[in-house]
Amino acid sequence: MTLNVSVVVPLYNEDESLKELDQWIKKVMTDHQFTYEVIYVNDGSSDKSWQVIETLAKNNDAVRGICFSRNYGKSAALFAGFEMAEGQVVITMDADLQDSPEEIPELRSMIVDQGYDLVSGWKQKRYDPISKTVPSKLFNGVASWLSGIKLHDFNCGLKAYKKDVVKSIEVYGEMHRYIPILAKEAGFMNIGEKVVQHQARKYGVTKFGLNRFINGFLDLLSIHFMTKFGKKPMHFFGALGSFMFFIGVLSALWVGGSKLWYVFQGIEAERVTESPYFYLSLVSMVLGTQLFLTGFIGELVSRSSTERNAYKVSKVISKS
Ligand code: UDP
Ligand code: MG
C-alpha cells in the first residue's frame, strides 16, 4: 500500500529541534489518520543530530534516516530524500521549527483533491531579520518575472509535491531555491501557492549567510539561461556573435570605402588607423568570432550529452 505522505526534512546541526519536530509531525499525521514516513536527511552535521535521529527511529516506525558523511548542502539533502520517498504526496520542510507541520493536511489536499503538481508555501508574514526579507522580495520578483511562474516565495522550505514531480527533477548545486522552475521545466505546469504560518527560529542559527544573495542571483541567471538556451546555445551565442561580426564588417567597409574614395578623388586622407571605426571594427569582429565559436562549442557539448533526448512523455498511443 502506498503511503499517504512522505515528509522530507533536510537538516544540518539541528539536534535541539528534532525531537519536538518529530512529535509534532506524528501528532498531525495521527490526527488525520495518514499513513506516512518522515525522512530525516542529516547533511553532515557535527552536533548530535544523527544520534537523535537514531533514537527517534527506535521509538517511531515511520522514521527513516539518511546520513551524509560531510556537508553537501540543502539541495543534495533534498535530492537524497526525494530518491527514498515513497508517499503519494511528498512534503519538504525545514528542521528548525520555522515551518509548521499543521499545514501538511491542507497542502496534501491541494495536491490530491485540487490536482496541483506542486504547492509552494508562502511565508506572507515572516519572522526573519529585515536583512533577509527585503532582498528576498527583490529575488522573488525577479525569479517570478524571469520564469513566468507566479509565486511570492520560491525559497520557502515548506512545499508539497506529487510523487511523480520529485522523481522527475534533479535538485543540484544550490538549486533548492528554484525547485518550482525545475518542476516547470520538467513539464509540471500546475504550480500553486498556499499562505503558511512562519515562526522565528527557536533553536540554533541560520545556515545561510549573506552570500546566499550573490549565489542565489548567479544561480537564477544560470537556471534561466539553461532553460532558455541550454539545448540550443548557438541560438544565443550565434545570434549575438553574428550581429557583432556584422557591425564589424560594416565599420571596416566604411573605413576602407572612405579611404578609397578619398584616394580616387586625389584628396589627402587620414590614415586608416586614425579612424575610431577601425578599432571598432577590429574589436567587433574579434568578439563576434569568439561568441560564435562559444556557441559552436556549446552545441558540441550539448549534443554529446546523454540527456539530449530525455523528454518527459505523459501519454502514448501505440499499436496494440
Ligand atoms: N540545511 C541543510 N544543509 C545545509 C544548510 C541547511 O540541510 O547545508 C537545512 C537546515 O538544517 C534547515 C534548512 O536546510 O533545516 C533551512 O536552513 P535554514 O533554516 O538555516 O535557512 P533559513 O531559514 O535561514 O533560510
Ligand atoms: Mg530556517
Side-chain angles (χ1 to χ4, degrees):
M1 201 191 73
T2 42
L3 301 167
N4 296 137
V5 183
S6 293
V7 185
V8 174
V9 183
L11 60 111
Y12 178 52
N13 294 344
E14 310 278 6
D15 57 2
E16 291 162 301
S17 328
L18 289 176
K19 190 160 174 236
E20 200 172 320
L21 178 72
D22 196 64
Q23 281 168 352
W24 198 358
I25 294 177
K26 187 173 179 181
K27 179 176 177 300
V28 173
M29 296 296 169
T30 33
D31 284 354
H32 289 81
Q33 296 173 341
F34 291 148
T35 53
Y36 77 106
E37 61 180 355
V38 193
I39 304 172
Y40 292 101
V41 189
N42 174 23
D43 184 14
S45 302
S46 50
D47 65 356
K48 294 205 161 43
S49 295
W50 184 247
Q51 282 93 312
V52 178
I53 294 169
E54 282 178 326
T55 321
L56 293 177
K58 276 194 200 114
N59 303 324
N60 182 353
D61 276 347
V63 170
R64 323 264 183 271
I66 297 174
C67 186
F68 284 170
S69 47
R70 71 166 175 86
N71 178 241
Y72 284 100
K74 188 177 177 186
S75 294
L78 285 174
F79 179 74
F82 286 166
E83 286 218 299
M84 189 188 253
E86 288 175 358
Q88 178 194 16
V89 170
V90 178
I91 307 276
T92 56
M93 58 190 299
D94 291 352
D96 53 4
L97 296 166
Q98 289 196 275
D99 303 326
S100 156
E102 309 282 348
E103 306 283 353
I104 295 177
E106 179 73 13
L107 286 168
R108 186 187 119 84
S109 135
M110 287 177 77
I111 301 277
V112 177
D113 306 322
Q114 299 178 34
Y116 283 103
D117 295 318
L118 188 167
V119 179
S120 180
W122 171 16
K123 298 163 286 190
Q124 196 172 25
K125 192 159 173 22
R126 271 181 85 158
Y127 295 88
D128 278 322
I130 191 161
S131 60
K132 208 155 130 186
T133 48
V134 171
S136 156
K137 272 221 164 72
L138 182 79
F139 250 113
N140 284 304
V142 179
S144 163
W145 171 64
L146 280 179
S147 65
I149 305 172
K150 297 278 162 276
L151 287 183
H152 293 87
D153 193 358
F154 278 78
N155 189 20
C156 184
L158 184 56
K159 288 192 173 60
Y161 310 78
K162 216 177 253 177
K163 184 182 177 187
D164 203 14
V165 178
V166 302
K167 301 292 177 188
S168 312
I169 58 176
E170 197 176 336
V171 197
Y172 61 95
E174 290 197 19
M175 290 299 177
H176 59 266
R177 299 196 178 90
Y178 303 115
I179 295 183
I181 305 184
L182 296 177
K184 186 182 173 204
E185 204 197 339
F188 299 99
M189 300 295 172
N190 211 348
I191 297 173
E193 184 167 59
K194 179 188 182 301
V195 174
V196 295
Q197 295 289 328
H198 187 241
Q199 274 99 210
R201 213 180 218 285
K202 201 163 165 189
Y203 308 103
V205 289
T206 176
K207 305 300 175 318
F208 299 100
L210 278 179
N211 61 359
R212 77 166 81 205
F213 298 114
I214 299 163
N215 296 342
F217 189 66
L218 292 174
D219 281 343
L220 180 60
L221 287 184
S222 51
I223 197 170
H224 177 63
F225 189 81
M226 283 305 285
T227 352
K228 256 192 125 166
F229 298 108
K231 294 229 156 130
K232 39 177 195 225
M234 196 54 162
H235 289 200
F236 177 76
F237 291 108
L240 211 59
S242 309
F243 177 70
M244 294 223 56
F245 196 82
F246 181 67
I247 300 271
V249 170
L250 275 189
S251 143
L253 282 178
W254 172 255
V255 174
S258 50
K259 174 82 184 180
L260 281 180
W261 190 77
Y262 281 125
V263 170
F264 283 130
Q265 300 293 314
I267 309 171
E268 193 178 338
E270 61 176 2
R271 286 160 179 256
V272 166
T273 49
E274 264 155 33
S275 157
Y277 292 107
F278 175 74
Y279 298 100
L280 189 68
S281 75
L282 268 187
V283 172
S284 260
M285 284 199 272
V286 170
L287 281 183
T289 316
Q290 286 193 331
L291 283 170
F292 194 88
L293 278 178
T294 310
F296 186 64
I297 292 174
E299 281 293 319
L300 291 179
V301 172
S302 85
R303 244 147 244 239
S304 55
S305 128
T306 47
E307 278 166 28
R308 65 186 178 274
N309 269 335
Y311 308 113
K312 207 181 150 330
V313 176
S314 56
K315 293 180 188 82
V316 172
I317 298 178
S318 62
K319 226 157 108 184
S320 50

